[in-house]
Amino acid sequence: MRLEIKEKGSEAFYREVVNVAAQYRRFLQKPERKLTDFFKAYKIYTILCAVLAVLIAAMNIAWGWDTLGTVALVALVIVAIFSGALWMNLNKTMKNMRNDPRTSVFTMDEKGVELNKGDSQTVRIGWDNLAFVRIFDESISFFTKDGLGFIISTDRRYGKEILEYLQAERPDVKIVR
């Protein structure tokens, strides 16, 4: 089976794919695990830490600086910076995926699953290295067994063809819904 994908996915699709990739190891441990929205979580962590840092700074100004207040303020600023950096990195990754002009070719054959990006990048997962296929709200993702973190994801609009192929040609593949 071969699908040539010329159109871009939705923002929700790319957001989900980035979230899935960020949680790869969690899904290997428990494939049925609920997908966490890291975009939302890191945004909330960043804002919460920044607000708490301002409050601690105000308390230190009002009541006088002490060691505990200074340590708490520095710790919150560091956590806010790290979670903000992670949030920006997720957004940058999603933006890069959305802006990729290359046509994708998704292939499933007797050797495995392959995603080819305009003859410049090819990712292949052999059937013997496929842990499971997971169907999410916006995407269908193929996870490798090894810890390398390779995932091939495609838009869920191709789900019918993919599932029909898997049921007919590879009934031994674990599908998680």
Side-chain angles (χ1 to χ4, degrees):
M1 182 187 94
R2 185 174 191 273
L3 300 171
E4 190 168 333
I5 304 168
K6 294 181 181 179
E7 68 280 347
K8 289 286 169 202
S10 66
E11 181 175 341
F13 167 74
Y14 290 111
R15 185 179 177 106
E16 184 174 89
V17 168
V18 171
N19 271 314
V20 168
Q23 299 171 58
Y24 168 79
R25 291 199 187 277
R26 288 181 176 184
F27 286 118
L28 275 185
Q29 293 171 355
K30 186 178 177 188
E32 300 82 16
R33 179 185 303 271
K34 183 180 178 205
L35 180 65
T36 303
D37 185 356
F38 276 0
F39 287 87
K40 184 178 176 182
Y42 286 128
K43 181 179 180 180
I44 290 171
Y45 295 155
T46 303
I47 293 169
L48 183 63
C49 288
V51 168
L52 290 173
V54 169
L55 288 174
I56 288 177
M59 287 173 24
N60 281 332
I61 291 169
W63 298 331
W65 289 92
D66 63 355
T67 305
L68 183 60
T70 304
V71 170
L73 180 61
V74 169
L76 280 170
V77 168
I78 290 170
V79 171
I81 289 170
F82 278 121
S83 59
L86 287 169
W87 178 46
M88 290 185 339
N89 190 29
L90 289 172
N91 281 304
K92 181 180 175 186
T93 302
M94 182 179 70
K95 181 181 175 189
N96 288 341
M97 290 175 114
R98 287 186 74 193
N99 293 335
D100 187 355
R102 299 175 293 180
T103 298
S104 298
V105 177
F106 176 83
T107 307
M108 287 193 301
D109 57 22
E110 64 280 347
K111 295 178 184 175
V113 182
E114 180 179 286
L115 184 64
N116 187 318
K117 290 279 199 173
D119 294 331
S120 61
Q121 181 183 28
T122 302
V123 178
R124 175 176 273 286
I125 301 173
W127 293 118
D128 60 334
N129 193 30
L130 183 69
F132 60 91
V133 177
R134 172 79 188 262
I135 301 171
F136 294 98
D137 293 339
E138 301 289 330
S139 66
I140 297 177
S141 298
F142 296 77
F143 289 76
T144 59
K145 287 180 185 175
D146 56 29
L148 296 177
F150 284 119
I151 302 171
I152 295 177
S153 295
T154 188
D155 201 301
R156 189 158 172 187
R157 74 180 91 163
Y158 304 109
K160 183 179 179 198
E161 298 100 307
I162 291 170
L163 292 176
E164 285 175 357
Y165 179 89
L166 289 173
Q167 288 171 351
E169 302 294 327
R170 303 302 300 193
D172 56 322
V173 170
K174 179 179 179 181
I175 299 173
V176 181
R177 296 178 193 266

